[in-house]
Amino acid sequence: MVSRSDLLAFVEAKLAYEIDVVAAAEAQADGTALIIDTRRRSSWDQGHVAGALHLPNDDFDDRIAGLPSGRTLVVYGWGPGCNGATHTAQRLLLKGFDVREMIGGYEYWVRNGFAVERADGVRKAAPDHLVTHV
């Protein structure tokens, strides 16, 4: 059996590490965070968080030097069922970066009606009232 103090420590660590899409959008807007898309090029090309940096696993070593050390890096993948962002977060943390993982990923960013960038421009979908407070 897991102790109550171990469970509390886990929950506190989870809250310190994860960031929801609303808080991520606010941190991006105020300049304290850089949002990083960890998905493959084909996924990025279908659409990504407006203003995000693309850092797929295959390019990690080549692009690490260009990342800012003074800002929080918020990583995301496709959605709740994708752990690609978790793998990238681990690598960034090992390199000494301040990292948070955006829970819900790209799916919940879109479902909340935040700006998405595609080849034809930046757009916002209508918020899905099942996942947003708007």
Side-chain angles (χ1 to χ4, degrees), residues 21-23 25-26 108-115 124-134:
V21 295
V22 174
E26 291 169 355
Y108 277 69
W109 182 272
V110 173
R111 291 179 73 185
N112 273 270
F114 293 120
K124 292 182 179 182
D128 178 344
H129 297 289
L130 292 175
V131 300
T132 186
H133 65 282
V134 177

Side-chain angles (χ1 to χ4, degrees), residues 35-45 48 51-57 59-60 63 67 76:
I35 298 181
I36 297 179
D37 187 312
T38 66
R39 301 171 303 149
R40 294 184 176 116
R41 168 62 65 184
S42 59
S43 300
W44 167 268
D45 290 344
H48 52 272
L53 175 75
H54 190 214
L55 184 63
N57 195 39
D59 294 341
F60 185 89
R63 311 256 325 265
L67 296 176
Y76 73 89

Side-chain angles (χ1 to χ4, degrees), residues 2-84:
V2 180
S3 72
R4 186 176 304 264
S5 63
D6 286 344
L7 290 172
L8 183 57
F10 171 78
V11 170
E12 289 173 348
K14 185 175 178 174
L15 289 170
Y17 167 67
E18 293 179 336
I19 185 170
D20 66 42
V21 295
V22 174
E26 291 169 355
Q28 181 189 45
D30 70 20
T32 59
L34 173 64
I35 298 181
I36 297 179
D37 187 312
T38 66
R39 301 171 303 149
R40 294 184 176 116
R41 168 62 65 184
S42 59
S43 300
W44 167 268
D45 290 344
Q46 289 180 29
H48 52 272
V49 169
L53 175 75
H54 190 214
L55 184 63
N57 195 39
D58 294 344
D59 294 341
F60 185 89
D61 292 328
D62 296 334
R63 311 256 325 265
I64 189 85
L67 296 176
S69 59
R71 291 167 69 191
T72 300
L73 305 180
V74 176
V75 297
Y76 73 89
W78 265 115
C82 172
N83 68 358

